[in-house]
Amino acid sequence: MTEPAPSEKKTDGEEPQPTLLEQMGGVSGLIYSSVPVIVFVLANSFFGLTAAIWTSIGSAVAIAVLRLVRKEPLQPAISGFFGVAIAAFIAYRTGSAKGFFLFGIYASLIYCGIFVLSVVVRWPIAGVVWNMLNGTGQAWRRDKPSRYGYDIATLAMAAIFAARFVVQRWLYQEDYTGWLAFAKIAMGYPLYALGLLVVVWAVRRSDKRLKAMAEEEPAPETDAEVEARLREKYAQTPEA
């Protein structure tokens, strides 16, 4: 029997961590997220708003079912379904196709504010979320360079959300529904991936610093070493 290749072996019984692309749903997730938007715009152009609303919701449901059948991660599909459902409801209430994009526009503004606020209060979201998911504790907050790196990563994500809001809000005001759909797709996962590159830089920078600091710290004494040191210290009583 041959042994598996070294790259296939698991160390210490740990499961391999998913990549950033896998966490976003993989390549299929990037494609699936665009389908309801494209379906909505096309259906609205040919059949009107009502048909566009129902076909976009139907496409989101179909994607969720397809993922379930193929045993793919459901979280991106479920999140996408609720996002489409809310967008469709707003379009129905406003009676306008461009209302389909209103939720995403103002969600970007809210996210931008939250990310900036997290930096102001010295709990940058990029660092909080990453270290919480990986269970690495709060050592990164005690190291100023590490925290500053996560500040930069968090502000980079805030800038992305701000850009989404500014561009898509302008398109909304100008009634460019088709361009709104294009902007939503182009400024979605592709732009988000660029922000994640900054997050990865901050993570690697922080991990490298914390590892170096840990190596410089003296190893803690064992119980036996403590006992031996105390015995040596009090072995002889001082002379009167």
Side-chain angles (χ1 to χ4, degrees), residues 142-167:
R142 296 188 291 271
D143 179 49
K144 287 186 177 180
S146 291
R147 194 176 72 238
Y148 291 157
Y150 283 119
D151 284 344
I152 294 172
T154 301
L155 290 176
M157 296 300 297
I160 289 174
F161 287 118
R164 289 179 183 174
F165 173 76
V166 171
V167 172

Side-chain angles (χ1 to χ4, degrees), residues 24 75 94 150 180-181 186 239:
M24 292 190 295
Q75 191 276 330
T94 61
Y150 283 119
L180 259 176
E239 296 181 358

Side-chain angles (χ1 to χ4, degrees), residues 40 43-44 47-57 88 91-92 95-97:
F40 178 86
N44 181 69
F47 306 108
L49 180 59
T50 301
I53 290 173
W54 287 110
T55 53
S56 64
I57 293 176
Y92 169 76
S96 172

